Amino acid sequence: MGILIDGDTKVICQGLTGATATRLSERAIAYGTKMVGGVVPGKGGQSHLHLPIFNTVAEAAKETQPDASAIFVPPVTAAAAMIEAIEAEIPLVICVTERVPVLDMVRVKSALEGSSTRLIGPNSQGVITPDVCKIGVMPERPHTPGRVGIVSRSATLNYEAVDQTTTVHLGQSTSVGIGGDPVYGMSFIDCLELFFADDATEGVILIGEIGGTAEEEAAAFLKSASSTKPVVAYVAGINAPTDRRMGHAGTVDVFGEGNVTAKIEALDTAGAIIAPSAADMGTTMRKALGGR
Amino acid sequence: MGILIDGDTKVICQGLTGATATRLSERAIAYGTKMVGGVVPGKGGQSHLHLPIFNTVAEAAKETQPDASAIFVPPVTAAAAMIEAIEAEIPLVICVTERVPVLDMVRVKSALEGSSTRLIGPNSQGVITPDVCKIGVMPERPHTPGRVGIVSRSATLNYEAVDQTTTVHLGQSTSVGIGGDPVYGMSFIDCLELFFADDATEGVILIGEIGGTAEEEAAAFLKSASSTKPVVAYVAGINAPTDRRMGHAGTVDVFGEGNVTAKIEALDTAGAIIAPSAADMGTTMRKALGGR
Amino acid sequence: MNLHEYQAKELLKTYGMPVPPGIAASTPDEADKAAATLGGTAWVVKAQVHAGGRGRAGGVKIVKSSKAAGEAAASMLGTRLVTAQTGALGIEVKRVYVEQACEVAKEIYLAALVDRSIGRVAFLASSEGGEDIEEAAAAAPDKIHKLVIDPKTGLNDTDAKALAADLGLSGETADAVATAMAAVYKAFLENDASLIEINPLAVTEAGDLFALDVKMIVDDNAIYRHPEFEKLWDEAEVSAEEIEAHRHELNYVPMDGNIGVMVTGAGLALAILDMLKDQGGEAANFMDVRPVATREQVAAGIKMLLANAKVKAILVVTIGGGVLRCDTIAEGIAIACKEAGNHVPMIVRAAGTGKELAELALNNQGVQVTYATDLAEAAQLAIIAAGGT
Amino acid sequence: MNLHEYQAKELLKTYGMPVPPGIAASTPDEADKAAATLGGTAWVVKAQVHAGGRGRAGGVKIVKSSKAAGEAAASMLGTRLVTAQTGALGIEVKRVYVEQACEVAKEIYLAALVDRSIGRVAFLASSEGGEDIEEAAAAAPDKIHKLVIDPKTGLNDTDAKALAADLGLSGETADAVATAMAAVYKAFLENDASLIEINPLAVTEAGDLFALDVKMIVDDNAIYRHPEFEKLWDEAEVSAEEIEAHRHELNYVPMDGNIGVMVTGAGLALAILDMLKDQGGEAANFMDVRPVATREQVAAGIKMLLANAKVKAILVVTIGGGVLRCDTIAEGIAIACKEAGNHVPMIVRAAGTGKELAELALNNQGVQVTYATDLAEAAQLAIIAAGGT
């Protein structure tokens, strides 16, 4: 039945009354997502999209017992919104906000410690279990219920993987965007663990990119994992412009971070099947699952 | 591949700039319908939904060679729009306008004589070949590509038949709303002929209602038709309120018109399979096609 | 819309159709005076209701004095006339028409209507006119003569005379019938009629014609071209709830059962009535909501159902399409329940566009409803909620 | 955004970090005067460009007179400094920094940054500071010491001193390093830095500390909290097209190939560059369009590509999602072509939301494009259009 969300997942939206949140929540509802409320400070007691609005996540949690919160607020209040959701013990928090300051995320990451909340994002396109539940900004098309789990740092490469797995008639169990920001919630590893334990998922497509060490960590995890499900990996940026680098990229190099070749090697060595290009994610998985 | 429309059908919209026309044309385009232009007197030369606007159907026909025109204009100009499209020799004209005066339709019907145009409607919800082309106001959901042709005088009963054939995994080849008005374009018979000749259509659901003699005429046609495709019929209104009748209904009775029992008997005798109720159209067709 | 006999006659007279002198009256006294004003020795007093079959039901009386005219009017005005076409409740008589009686040698049936099967205006005529035309026609359909008019050429005098000949008429009478047909055809087109029925068209011993009774229906969809008809909308004759329904663009017909029904789409509404009946239930009404309905219009419709003491359960069936959304219906239900209470069980079957938003709306507004997943279940639940079969 | 050395030093000084006296200069004359004003017997003249590796590239000179300072400035100002981090074109030097030279006994590396893998601020330090830190670290990673800061407790003085001890320091020098770390940490948090790198952090014979070079990056996403940094945005250093890109919120980096690329989404953009390279092509740039982009921003991006004489073909790849629609991209393309011409082949691969409207838009505007159905085909067509591999 996919990971993280299902047909019974009750969802609130922080920032529901915003234009994008309104449009996308309306579409999520039409898609089948069980929206139960919204949180907009100062608008408590009102109603929007036929959903009750609360001033705080705590109130919304008390009245609607949500399983998840979708955060659609501006960057300036995103960290506070995430921390509020974490403190209200919302099991799953999905933050689609782009451009959240990294030191704000350091505080959010700290708030996550010892909490039972799973945070996805920020800068996530969301999570979708096709035809069952969708939280985030991804389009409905061309998602199809199916066999492949997808986890990606890049939203558009994720859509590409969705399109390809639909085209080769594999479909998706669940597709997760963990976001491309430096500091973020759930990792590749967290998602791989869930996908490996999920009956509906027969294989996982993992999409990384230049920067950070998330792919290397995923590789280390894969090496020790007992799952036999195939993992197809693609890492973007092997020919990325070096840019005019200052200290940062240099410092990154101190740790060996950000080197795509190294990421690919690590994943390859760990047993992942490397997709030759971004156009081959679907066909590579198709072969890995025994198709032609 | 269904009847009347396909993936190559080029469509113009008369009245494109109206709010409903805009919304539905945008959705039609996203659905795959090949829209090529709009006709809005006085707005020629402008552009709307990225489509060129023409002052007249004749200009639009010259510039875009449309296969079909969708008419989304108010009742007051609907007849003129239909006649204009007929005179411009648009092969297929679909008029969704409701409440067109009946004497206007007498004039339209007269304009149709000797023309090669096929008119659908007025007061039609349109025509859809699922996942290929959609012209009209019907929703996308729950249409699914499939085996059953649907032709109906009632839009909502048509949607019901779509829902049911999707639920029983038959899907639709093409669904046509011929409209519930007294005087209209294509008849049940016209559509049955096309469905019988269509490879994709394995059976036809015909949905009639009280009033007129269209069902009786369809029955007479069926009796003489050589097709072996099953036709499932449902006729609504057997328990319709008699209303407080004045002359009209009485006069109708002079012709034996409008009697649902007679319609059902005629269709039954002609070999149609009568659906026991509006809830049974899908399952009845399923059985007729050899399913359980 | 239906025109009253006196309104139709007044209109046809302007096109040259001969009609007997007559005056409408709303009180017995007015009827008395009308007869006196008209002069003559015999009058016909006729209840002005929108239903056929008045004669047999006592809605047409011949009187020989103005006093008797007043008495005939008194016997009709304020009573509910029940004819074969009114339903059991009948229609209250608010007005009578007092007309000079004329001697009749022959009663002809003549009607112009839109022939649906060919999409043209047609004349129907029979030499056997009178109250029993429908039965007569059923018994001997070959006695009904038909003339279909090509809209490009209009009514042809030769064809009209041929029809008159078919009725057994000749000479000046046949010419008069042809002239009358021309008048009817012109009136038909110019007034967007969907029916003009003259029955009987009387032929006097002298060979003169008189339209003795006229039924005329004007196309509702063309009323915008005839603002003069809007004024004739006879609100006095229809029930308060029908006026309310008309005001909110709801297609509403009261019925005899206990299940209040609101459906989006006339065809589906008819199907629901059939399903209720099949399963042993009975609708309290027919109510069809147009795709362009607003939530306020929906609310008005639901309030009508809630206000009806006969209604023991309400069944709402909606399929959202590209124009109408289920949540519009839901919002209307919520508004109605907030204003008029939620005191009868409400069964809702929503499908298609806006289904999920509809459920949210009802839930959020605290409106108690039972959801049905398909039509059969919807009908069944409504019947059970209304007290079973 | 990157701060220049002199900007970063000025800022750190306010937090108590010891830095040598220095003055920025835009002309040789100013540099001469700066040395005189600063006083002393030796100065360092440093090109102020946003790139590491200046020393080896001739961007750092030690002078012994104010005249020599002016001459050193003259040798740098207006030239393009090419370092290991600038790419072949280098960066034009618009400003130099003249600083008192100080005697150095030991060069330490000290940096604060956000450790992505654990989501915390961390200090990195090495006793082997200087220009070659990256190579040194690669050769002997154990010489890099790391201290991760728990945001709840902040930088602990004991931990800071322990790090100093790891660097082989003790006594007052170790205390001074701990104090400097506290200053850096405070500056880091208060200015939303993502990096503050002091290399070298000099220890004088007397045991005093000086930050000899500072690289500081401020989090672009937090600039709204620091309007003072907006003013420091050094437009003079970047190319006109980069300024243009920044103004239109386009993520743009010039490259060396002949295929102009615009992609919606950074990950997908990187993937396209990889696919072009794999198939023997070469992108002229990296350009990522944000989901909230307007058609005007897209048009500005396409115009930049059209204006680039190197560009022989343009490849636009877009996947419409719940926010960005393909037709917004198409409208932008059409606007750009209308204003700047449609003189190079344009390959478009549109998928997802608004794909069909995008094709209509381009068609209706008469913009000649070749459509690709998938990424591989898109890359291939672009390479062929640009002249083959």
Side-chain angles (χ1 to χ4, degrees):
Chain A
M1 261 315 293
I3 68 169
L4 293 167
I5 55 175
D6 61 30
D8 295 324
T9 303
K10 293 195 287 181
V11 183
I12 58 172
C13 176
Q14 294 173 248
L16 180 66
T17 51
T20 302
T22 297
R23 195 163 50 76
L24 291 167
S25 297
E26 189 166 349
R27 279 169 55 175
I29 291 165
Y31 197 72
T33 305
K34 298 251 172 313
M35 298 283 297
V36 295
V39 176
V40 184
K43 294 195 177 172
Q46 297 183 17
S47 177
H48 187 68
L49 288 180
H50 311 303
L51 295 168
I53 302 289
F54 303 93
N55 284 319
T56 66
V57 177
E59 283 173 64
K62 182 158 173 281
E63 297 298 326
T64 68
Q65 284 88 43
D67 302 297
S69 179
I71 297 182
F72 280 84
V73 301
V76 64
T77 51
M82 284 182 259
I83 291 171
E84 193 188 347
I86 292 164
E87 288 176 350
E89 298 179 357
I90 307 295
L92 181 67
V93 176
I94 297 174
C95 181
V96 306
T97 309
E98 279 191 303
R99 300 198 165 182
V100 179
V102 68
L103 288 183
D104 287 3
M105 283 312 300
V106 169
R107 288 192 297 119
V108 171
K109 198 82 178 169
S110 176
L112 272 174
E113 275 165 36
S115 115
S116 59
T117 293
R118 282 174 164 145
L119 172 67
I120 293 184
N123 194 10
S124 161
Q125 84 271 19
V127 182
I128 183 170
T129 292
D131 286 6
V132 172
C133 183
K134 139 180 162 60
I135 306 175
V137 305
M138 72 285 289
E140 293 82 10
R141 284 196 303 177
H143 291 89
T144 318
R147 305 156 62 188
V148 180
I150 301 176
V151 56
S152 174
R153 285 171 64 189
S154 154
T156 40
L157 281 173
N158 186 309
Y159 301 161
E160 196 60 44
V162 166
D163 195 33
Q164 293 173 20
T165 46
T166 289
T167 300
V168 299
H169 303 295
L170 290 175
Q172 304 83 41
S173 54
T174 298
S175 177
V176 185
I178 59 174
D181 279 7
V183 178
Y184 56 99
M186 286 185 78
S187 67
F188 283 132
I189 297 176
D190 298 328
C191 293
L192 285 172
E193 280 179 337
L194 294 175
F195 277 131
F196 287 164
D198 173 45
D199 287 346
T201 304
E202 298 177 27
V204 182
I205 294 179
L206 181 155
I207 305 170
E209 61 188 29
I210 192 169
T213 55
E215 293 79 7
E216 286 85 343
E217 290 154 23
F221 167 78
L222 271 184
K223 213 164 200 166
S224 67
S226 60
S227 170
T228 58
K229 294 181 184 177
V231 174
V232 168
Y234 175 74
V235 185
I238 199 163
N239 299 299
T242 52
D243 199 346
R244 295 167 305 136
R245 296 181 303 173
M246 207 179 96
H248 195 208
T251 306
V252 162
D253 276 353
V254 170
F255 290 109
E257 274 184 5
N259 184 319
V260 174
T261 309
K263 290 173 187 296
I264 292 175
E265 275 174 19
L267 286 162
D268 190 15
T269 306
I273 305 156
I274 307 302
S277 87
D280 304 308
M281 297 183 285
T283 49
T284 304
M285 179 55 86
R286 178 94 194 132
K287 279 181 209 151
L289 290 175
R292 274 166 306 128
Chain B
M1 261 315 297
I3 67 170
L4 293 166
I5 56 176
D6 61 30
D8 296 323
T9 304
K10 293 196 287 180
V11 184
I12 58 171
C13 176
Q14 293 174 248
L16 179 66
T17 52
T20 301
T22 298
R23 195 163 50 77
L24 290 167
S25 296
E26 189 166 350
R27 279 169 55 175
I29 291 164
Y31 198 73
T33 306
K34 297 249 174 313
M35 300 282 299
V36 295
V39 177
V40 184
K43 296 196 176 174
Q46 298 183 17
S47 177
H48 187 68
L49 289 180
H50 310 303
L51 296 167
I53 301 289
F54 303 93
N55 284 320
T56 67
V57 177
E59 284 172 64
K62 182 157 172 282
E63 297 297 327
T64 69
Q65 285 88 43
D67 303 296
S69 179
I71 297 182
F72 280 83
V73 303
V76 64
T77 51
M82 283 181 262
I83 291 170
E84 192 188 349
I86 292 163
E87 289 175 350
E89 297 180 357
I90 308 293
L92 180 66
V93 177
I94 297 174
C95 182
V96 305
T97 309
E98 280 191 303
R99 300 196 166 185
V100 179
V102 69
L103 287 183
D104 286 4
M105 282 312 301
V106 169
R107 288 192 295 119
V108 172
K109 198 83 181 168
S110 176
L112 272 174
E113 273 165 36
S115 114
S116 60
T117 293
R118 283 175 162 144
L119 171 68
I120 294 185
N123 194 11
S124 160
Q125 84 272 17
V127 182
I128 182 170
T129 292
D131 287 5
V132 172
C133 183
K134 136 181 166 57
I135 305 175
V137 306
M138 72 285 288
E140 292 84 10
R141 283 195 306 177
H143 292 88
T144 318
R147 304 155 62 187
V148 180
I150 300 176
V151 57
S152 174
R153 286 171 64 190
S154 153
T156 41
L157 281 173
N158 186 309
Y159 301 161
E160 196 61 43
V162 167
D163 195 33
Q164 292 172 22
T165 46
T166 290
T167 300
V168 300
H169 303 295
L170 290 174
Q172 305 84 42
S173 55
T174 298
S175 177
V176 184
I178 59 175
D181 278 8
V183 177
Y184 56 100
M186 285 186 79
S187 67
F188 283 131
I189 296 174
D190 299 326
C191 294
L192 285 172
E193 281 179 337
L194 293 175
F195 278 130
F196 287 163
D198 173 44
D199 287 344
T201 302
E202 298 177 26
V204 182
I205 295 180
L206 181 155
I207 305 170
E209 61 187 30
I210 192 168
T213 55
E215 294 78 6
E216 287 84 344
E217 291 155 23
F221 167 79
L222 271 185
K223 214 163 200 164
S224 65
S226 60
S227 170
T228 58
K229 294 182 185 179
V231 173
V232 168
Y234 173 76
V235 185
I238 199 163
N239 298 300
T242 51
D243 200 347
R244 297 167 303 136
R245 293 181 306 175
M246 206 177 99
H248 193 209
T251 307
V252 163
D253 277 353
V254 169
F255 290 107
E257 274 185 5
N259 184 320
V260 174
T261 308
K263 289 173 188 295
I264 291 175
E265 275 174 18
L267 286 162
D268 190 17
T269 306
I273 304 157
I274 308 301
S277 86
D280 304 307
M281 296 183 285
T283 49
T284 304
M285 178 55 85
R286 178 93 196 133
K287 279 181 209 151
L289 289 176
R292 274 166 306 128
Chain C
M1 71 178 287
N2 297 332
L3 299 191
H4 279 298
E5 175 190 1
Y6 74 94
Q7 295 162 339
K9 281 183 169 168
E10 209 159 274
L11 191 146
L12 283 186
K13 206 160 72 175
T14 67
Y15 286 86
M17 168 64 70
V19 296
I23 295 173
S26 301
T27 65
D29 192 43
E30 279 178 23
D32 188 334
K33 280 181 186 151
T37 305
L38 289 168
T41 57
W43 301 266
V44 189
V45 180
K46 294 188 271 191
Q48 296 297 288
V49 294
H50 291 313
R54 291 175 302 177
R56 291 186 184 175
V60 178
K61 287 189 177 162
I62 295 175
V63 294
K64 304 282 185 182
S65 68
S66 70
K67 193 180 162 227
E71 287 164 1
S75 75
M76 294 177 198
L77 288 165
T79 65
R80 299 191 73 86
L81 193 68
V82 179
T83 85
Q85 292 180 12
T86 59
L89 277 178
I91 306 173
E92 187 180 348
V93 181
K94 299 272 189 179
R95 197 180 278 108
V96 296
Y97 190 48
V98 182
E99 197 177 59
Q100 272 190 0
C102 67
E103 256 177 73
V104 177
K106 188 176 168 64
E107 292 191 333
I108 292 173
Y109 175 90
L110 180 70
L113 76 169
V114 176
D115 185 329
R116 299 171 63 142
S117 65
I118 48 175
R120 288 186 171 184
V121 176
F123 277 93
L124 296 179
S126 168
S127 56
E128 315 286 319
E131 285 247 330
D132 299 327
I133 179 66
E134 289 155 28
E135 286 164 25
D142 58 309
K143 293 237 167 121
I144 301 286
H145 302 278
K146 185 172 173 181
L147 172 61
V148 175
I149 313 299
D150 182 339
K152 290 197 182 98
T153 54
L155 175 64
N156 179 306
D157 190 55
T158 312
D159 294 339
K161 283 182 179 148
L163 189 70
D166 287 339
L167 300 177
L169 304 175
S170 60
E172 286 188 5
T173 307
D175 291 352
V177 165
T179 304
M181 284 172 68
V184 166
Y185 186 65
K186 190 153 188 275
F188 196 96
L189 295 190
E190 291 186 359
N191 294 281
D192 274 300
S194 52
L195 175 79
I196 297 177
E197 185 185 59
I198 305 172
N199 183 28
L201 176 62
V203 184
T204 63
E205 293 289 353
D208 294 331
L209 292 184
F210 284 104
L212 285 201
D213 192 6
V214 179
K215 289 163 187 161
M216 179 164 174
I217 304 179
V218 173
D219 183 0
D220 285 336
N221 292 341
I223 293 281
Y224 71 86
R225 292 198 277 236
H226 308 282
E228 69 276 16
F229 289 138
E230 277 287 22
K231 293 180 227 143
L232 302 184
W233 164 254
D234 194 352
E235 296 204 342
E237 181 167 301
V238 295
S239 66
E241 60 183 1
E242 282 169 284
I243 295 166
E244 180 74 1
H246 181 79
R247 203 160 67 82
H248 295 288
E249 302 228 340
L250 299 163
N251 188 0
Y252 174 83
V253 182
M255 294 173 69
D256 297 326
N258 62 1
I259 301 169
V261 176
M262 169 181 276
V263 183
T264 57
L268 186 58
L270 291 172
I272 296 296
L273 300 189
D274 292 348
M275 294 184 74
L276 288 174
K277 191 95 172 184
D278 284 353
Q279 298 188 30
E282 198 78 61
N285 63 282
F286 170 96
M287 185 185 286
D288 161 37
V289 181
R290 297 182 66 207
V292 293
T294 63
R295 61 185 185 180
E296 287 74 20
Q297 290 172 337
V298 173
I302 296 289
K303 281 195 279 186
M304 282 175 53
L305 302 182
L306 286 169
N308 184 341
K310 277 192 317 190
V311 168
K312 301 301 178 211
I314 293 177
L315 172 59
V316 179
V317 176
T318 173
I319 302 192
V323 178
L324 183 74
R325 294 163 51 125
C326 290
D327 48 320
T328 305
I329 303 294
E331 288 169 5
I333 294 174
I335 292 169
C337 288
K338 202 165 280 177
E339 294 178 17
N342 191 359
H343 53 272
V344 292
M346 181 100 60
I347 317 299
V348 174
R349 193 276 191 156
T353 315
K355 166 193 192 298
E356 297 82 5
L357 277 176
E359 293 177 4
L360 276 182
L362 292 170
N363 190 42
N364 186 32
Q365 306 273 335
V367 181
Q368 291 290 331
V369 307
T370 304
Y371 293 105
T373 56
D374 61 32
L375 293 182
E377 189 190 20
Q380 195 181 11
L381 288 174
I383 291 167
I384 292 168
T389 60
Chain D
M1 69 179 288
N2 296 332
L3 299 191
H4 279 299
E5 175 190 359
Y6 73 94
Q7 295 163 339
K9 281 182 169 168
E10 211 160 88
L11 192 147
L12 283 186
K13 207 161 74 176
T14 67
Y15 286 87
M17 168 65 68
V19 295
I23 295 173
S26 301
T27 65
D29 192 42
E30 279 178 23
D32 189 334
K33 279 183 187 149
T37 305
L38 289 167
T41 56
W43 299 266
V44 189
V45 179
K46 295 189 273 190
Q48 298 295 290
V49 294
H50 291 312
R54 291 175 302 174
R56 290 184 184 176
V60 177
K61 287 187 179 163
I62 294 174
V63 294
K64 304 283 182 183
S65 69
S66 70
K67 191 177 165 231
E71 285 162 5
S75 74
M76 296 177 196
L77 288 164
T79 66
R80 297 190 75 87
L81 193 68
V82 180
T83 84
Q85 294 180 9
T86 58
L89 276 178
I91 306 172
E92 187 180 349
V93 182
K94 298 272 187 177
R95 198 179 277 111
V96 297
Y97 189 48
V98 182
E99 195 176 61
Q100 272 190 359
C102 66
E103 259 177 71
V104 176
K106 188 174 166 64
E107 291 191 332
I108 292 171
Y109 175 89
L110 180 71
L113 78 169
V114 176
D115 185 329
R116 298 169 64 141
S117 66
I118 48 174
R120 288 185 172 184
V121 176
F123 277 94
L124 296 179
S126 167
S127 55
E128 315 286 316
E131 285 246 328
D132 298 328
I133 179 68
E134 290 155 30
E135 285 164 27
D142 58 309
K143 291 234 169 121
I144 302 285
H145 303 277
K146 185 172 171 182
L147 171 63
V148 175
I149 314 298
D150 183 339
K152 289 197 180 99
T153 54
L155 174 64
N156 178 305
D157 190 53
T158 313
D159 293 339
K161 283 181 180 150
L163 188 71
D166 287 340
L167 301 178
L169 303 174
S170 61
E172 285 187 4
T173 309
D175 291 352
V177 165
T179 305
M181 284 172 68
V184 167
Y185 186 65
K186 190 155 190 272
F188 196 97
L189 295 190
E190 289 186 3
N191 293 283
D192 273 301
S194 53
L195 174 80
I196 296 178
E197 184 185 59
I198 304 173
N199 185 28
L201 175 63
V203 185
T204 63
E205 292 293 347
D208 294 331
L209 293 184
F210 283 105
L212 285 200
D213 192 6
V214 178
K215 288 162 188 163
M216 181 165 171
I217 304 179
V218 173
D219 183 0
D220 284 338
N221 293 341
I223 294 281
Y224 70 86
R225 292 199 279 236
H226 307 282
E228 69 276 16
F229 290 138
E230 279 285 23
K231 293 180 227 141
L232 303 186
W233 164 252
D234 193 353
E235 296 203 343
E237 180 166 304
V238 296
S239 66
E241 60 182 359
E242 282 168 285
I243 296 167
E244 180 73 2
H246 180 80
R247 203 160 68 81
H248 295 289
E249 303 228 336
L250 300 163
N251 188 0
Y252 175 82
V253 181
M255 294 172 69
D256 298 326
N258 61 1
I259 302 169
V261 176
M262 170 182 275
V263 184
T264 58
L268 186 58
L270 290 172
I272 297 297
L273 300 189
D274 292 348
M275 295 184 72
L276 288 174
K277 191 96 173 185
D278 285 353
Q279 298 188 29
E282 197 80 59
N285 64 280
F286 168 96
M287 185 185 285
D288 161 37
V289 181
R290 297 183 63 207
V292 293
T294 64
R295 59 186 186 181
E296 286 75 20
Q297 291 173 337
V298 172
I302 297 288
K303 281 196 278 184
M304 282 174 54
L305 302 182
L306 287 169
N308 184 342
K310 279 194 315 190
V311 167
K312 301 301 176 209
I314 292 177
L315 172 59
V316 179
V317 176
T318 173
I319 302 191
V323 177
L324 182 77
R325 295 163 51 125
C326 291
D327 47 320
T328 305
I329 303 293
E331 288 169 4
I333 293 173
I335 292 169
C337 288
K338 203 164 278 175
E339 295 178 16
N342 192 0
H343 53 273
V344 292
M346 181 100 61
I347 316 300
V348 175
R349 193 276 190 156
T353 316
K355 167 193 192 299
E356 297 82 6
L357 277 175
E359 293 177 3
L360 277 181
L362 292 169
N363 189 42
N364 186 32
Q365 305 274 334
V367 182
Q368 291 291 329
V369 306
T370 304
Y371 293 105
T373 58
D374 60 33
L375 293 183
E377 190 190 19
Q380 197 180 11
L381 289 173
I383 291 167
I384 293 167
T389 60

